[in-house]
Amino acid sequence: MNGNRFVTILFSSILCTTLMGCNQNEDENTASEKLSVVTSFYPMYEFAQQVAGDRADVSLMVSAGEDAHHYEPSAQDVAAVNEAEVFVYSSEEMEHWVSSLLNTVENDDLVIARTADGVDLVDTSGSGHAHNHDQHGDEEKQEAAVTINIQGVADHYHTGNMIELTAELDAEVDYDHWHWYTRENADDEWVTVPNQGGPEFNYEALGESFEVRAVLFDENHNEYAESDPVEIVIDDHDHGHGQEEEHEHDEEHGQHHEHGSDSAIEIVGLADHYHTGDVVTLVAQLEEEVDYDHWHWYTRMSENDEWEAVSGQGTDHFEYKTTGESFEVRAVLFDDDHHTYAESEPVSVIIDDHESHDPHIWLDPVLAQEQVNIIRDALIEADPDGQAIYEENAEAFNKELQALHEDFQAALEDAESRVFVVQHQAFGYLAQRYQLEQVAIGGLSTEVEPSPSRIAEIGKLVEEHNVPVIYYQQGANSAIAETVATETGTETAVLYDLEVLSEELQAEDLGYVDAMRQNLEALQLSIQ
């Protein structure tokens, strides 16, 4: 009897173990049968998750703190796409690295969903205020009855001299928005000189002769008057002024020599990219306290070029208005004998105008629905058996997006004040959709406090457009953002551009729709 009972128990144990093993294998097979979907950056990740539901494993390449524009896929990323069945991205204008990635991948069965297909990427800068006068030589000018004369030009200057000029009008006007431009010769393009926003021009001669001219803009940022070019002659009479003690560091362009220190300089405030006309605001931080305060900043277009000293940048702060080309910059601190004490590593300032095509289409709830539909179709192509599920999920999510769009319409359509000021020009499609005007303060940083002149420029912009809020993508509560707000009489608020799944989004557990609804609430502080 006991023997039979033992056999029965043993048989039952074997049967249970066998059944459990079968169930486990079934679970593993079910998991392995899930569609593998790799997405580029956050909006594509959430849209794909919404459509796929539990039928796919959806992964994200660009994580928090990384730049979706200039991301560099790792070997693990390439391997993941090689094994995936679907790859989802927005556009080459947004994710510059996608073409290179796909050329590297060896996966003939990969279904690729470019969610910007069917959407015409356009230049949305017309929906906002470009605040850029660099094309003044090519645009139709407003006729003015006054002329500008440049006073104070010497017959020649030596390298290192300060060139001090004044632009004088032959009539009194209320405008005070000036720009100064230089070029080496008549065959070159005019280039805006940073930090020269008034009628006075203060510029350190760097060794080459050049031409300069002044332009005055009216309240609509059209040219009101301009001077004739004047020539600035740099003539060192072969006396080697560049070798004199007071300027020997310019010749070295910040290279170390025997008097240098092992102290390192860190450059803080660098954004992932800038647009033409943005003001790059950086600060050089030394790891130790010293009494020296003689700084120079140097730029070069590439590592094959010589470093050139940037005039008017004699402190640990660097403010420079971009002119359309990416460049490298570094900071050098000199001691009392004009020897290099410490220098930074070069950092790259990336100018990315997206080829004049705004890639931020996901911030328009209507265009987002088009992106969802493209993801739906890609999933169906890769997994026809899941068609009904993908169609149902896409329809449900698009209903949420349509409701979001209608809420934006209802909240904003009757507003009289329709201008909003942003830290970064990312909301052009949203502005177009709801007939708003986006004004961007290009290059505004939450890490580096702007100079008094930059604060004054921002204050004029705020006063001109009569806006109560400056919107930041992140860091709106930072001390520097609060300083700018105090100095300009504004408040700060967040407008999520949703390029990354930021720590703020994760902390508040916000998805796309939730974040966009918070954007709507924030916009209503200005759009009233």
Side-chain angles (χ1 to χ4, degrees):
M1 184 72 175
N2 290 339
N4 290 338
R5 184 178 180 187
F6 173 77
V7 171
T8 301
I9 293 173
L10 178 64
F11 177 77
S12 299
S13 299
I14 294 172
L15 180 61
C16 289
T17 302
T18 303
L19 290 174
M20 288 175 65
C22 290
N23 289 336
Q24 182 176 354
N25 288 337
E26 286 179 5
D27 290 342
E28 290 176 353
N29 290 337
T30 300
S32 65
E33 288 173 1
K34 281 191 173 185
L35 196 67
S36 174
V37 181
V38 176
T39 63
S40 57
F41 71 118
Y42 173 64
M44 303 303 98
Y45 172 70
E46 172 152 351
F47 293 175
Q49 279 192 318
Q50 292 285 348
V51 177
D54 295 331
R55 196 172 174 87
D57 284 324
V58 182
S59 62
L60 172 66
M61 291 181 67
V62 181
S63 58
E66 296 178 302
D67 174 24
H69 295 291
H70 305 284
Y71 180 72
E72 294 185 5
S74 65
Q76 289 86 347
D77 292 328
V78 175
V81 178
N82 267 326
E83 298 297 324
E85 291 159 278
V86 181
F87 176 65
V88 181
Y89 74 106
S90 184
S91 69
E92 293 75 12
E93 289 78 9
M94 181 64 201
E95 304 104 306
H96 302 322
W97 42 271
V98 162
S99 296
S100 175
L101 171 68
L102 295 179
N103 287 334
T104 304
V105 166
E106 297 178 357
N107 184 348
D108 294 336
D109 297 325
L110 182 67
V111 177
I112 299 171
R114 181 183 185 274
T115 64
D117 283 348
V119 177
D120 291 329
L121 299 182
V122 298
D123 182 358
T124 61
S125 60
S127 68
H129 169 70
H131 203 63
N132 181 6
H133 314 293
D134 292 335
Q135 304 300 320
H136 69 281
D138 301 319
E139 296 175 354
E140 184 176 345
K141 300 177 179 60
Q142 176 179 331
E143 292 295 328
V146 298
T147 58
I148 298 173
N149 296 306
I150 295 180
Q151 304 293 331
V153 181
D155 54 10
H156 73 277
Y157 299 85
H158 299 158
T159 299
N161 286 169
M162 285 304 299
I163 302 166
E164 298 179 348
L165 309 176
T166 302
E168 294 185 353
L169 285 165
D170 60 5
E172 289 190 8
V173 297
D174 292 330
Y175 310 136
D176 61 356
H177 188 167
W178 293 84
H179 275 232
W180 291 79
Y181 302 88
T182 62
R183 65 182 181 187
E184 289 191 7
N185 57 61
D187 296 327
D188 292 336
E189 295 290 327
W190 289 102
V191 176
T192 308
V193 183
N195 305 317
Q196 305 286 340
E200 290 82 24
F201 178 81
N202 296 283
Y203 191 87
E204 182 179 351
L206 298 178
E208 297 291 335
S209 300
F210 61 93
E211 293 183 337
V212 63
R213 73 168 172 177
V215 180
L216 177 63
F217 294 86
D218 65 17
E219 64 223 7
N220 296 316
H221 306 283
N222 298 315
E223 290 186 14
Y224 179 77
E226 64 180 295
S227 72
D228 289 328
V230 297
E231 185 176 9
I232 303 298
V233 178
I234 311 300
D235 184 357
D236 291 327
H237 314 298
D238 295 326
H239 289 169
H241 288 272
Q243 299 300 320
E244 294 178 6
E245 182 182 41
E246 63 177 328
H247 296 294
E248 65 177 292
H249 49 267
D250 286 344
E251 293 300 308
E252 296 294 331
H253 292 294
Q255 297 294 327
H256 276 309
H257 38 87
E258 65 272 15
H259 300 279
S261 163
D262 292 331
S263 297
I265 295 173
E266 180 184 3
I267 293 180
V268 176
L270 187 71
D272 51 37
H273 73 280
Y274 300 84
H275 299 158
T276 297
D278 285 356
V279 176
V280 180
T281 306
L282 308 174
V283 66
Q285 292 185 347
L286 196 64
E287 61 185 14
E288 63 183 55
E289 290 189 9
V290 296
D291 293 330
Y292 310 134
D293 61 358
H294 186 172
W295 292 85
H296 271 228
W297 292 79
Y298 299 88
T299 62
R300 66 182 181 185
M301 303 307 292
S302 72
E303 61 182 13
N304 296 322
D305 296 327
E306 294 292 327
W307 289 102
E308 296 184 3
V310 184
S311 180
Q313 307 286 339
T315 72
D316 58 351
H317 278 63
F318 177 81
E319 286 191 351
Y320 188 86
K321 187 171 184 179
T322 60
T323 57
E325 297 292 334
S326 299
F327 60 93
E328 293 185 332
V329 61
R330 70 171 173 178
V332 181
L333 177 63
F334 294 91
D335 63 20
D336 294 335
D337 296 320
H338 306 284
H339 297 136
T340 299
Y341 178 79
E343 64 182 294
S344 73
E345 292 293 329
V347 297
S348 295
V349 176
I350 298 173
I351 312 302
D352 184 359
D353 292 322
H354 314 298
E355 298 181 353
S356 297
H357 294 142
D358 185 348
H360 304 89
I361 57 178
W362 63 91
L363 291 170
D364 176 344
V366 176
L367 297 181
Q369 294 176 55
E370 298 293 333
Q371 294 185 286
V372 168
N373 291 339
I374 289 172
I375 294 171
R376 174 201 63 198
D377 294 344
L379 298 185
I380 292 173
E381 180 181 347
D383 177 24
D385 291 342
Q387 178 172 351
I389 293 174
Y390 300 139
E391 288 180 343
E392 180 181 352
N393 290 345
E395 182 180 2
F397 188 50
N398 275 344
K399 284 182 179 179
E400 287 189 60
L401 296 177
Q402 181 62 24
L404 176 67
H405 160 59
E406 291 171 2
D407 288 344
F408 266 84
Q409 269 189 323
L412 304 177
E413 62 183 353
D414 295 327
E416 295 182 4
S417 300
R418 309 194 69 79
V419 180
F420 63 103
V421 173
V422 295
Q423 172 196 23
H424 180 66
Q425 190 167 322
F427 301 90
Y429 288 103
L430 185 145
Q432 281 191 346
R433 176 67 61 188
Y434 305 110
Q435 295 81 50
L436 309 177
E437 182 181 358
Q438 170 188 235
V439 177
I441 305 175
L444 183 60
S445 172
T446 56
E447 296 181 274
V448 181
E449 186 171 331
S451 66
S453 61
R454 179 68 168 146
I455 289 283
E457 181 182 342
I458 296 170
K460 286 182 180 179
L461 195 65
V462 166
E463 182 180 358
E464 174 189 344
H465 293 280
N466 192 29
V467 291
V469 177
I470 296 176
Y471 294 99
Y472 294 79
Q473 273 81 338
Q474 54 189 357
N477 295 323
S478 71
I480 290 173
E482 294 292 346
T483 297
V484 173
T486 300
E487 294 292 333
T488 57
T490 58
E491 297 179 2
T492 64
V494 172
L495 274 186
Y496 296 110
D497 62 12
L498 299 171
E499 288 189 13
V500 296
L501 183 56
S502 68
E503 293 180 359
E504 290 172 295
L505 290 176
Q506 294 181 65
E508 298 187 34
D509 195 25
L510 296 179
Y512 172 88
V513 173
D514 295 328
M516 288 295 288
R517 291 197 180 279
Q518 288 207 4
N519 281 351
L520 175 56
E521 290 183 16
L523 274 174
Q524 290 177 279
L525 298 173
S526 292
I527 311 301
Q528 301 174 355

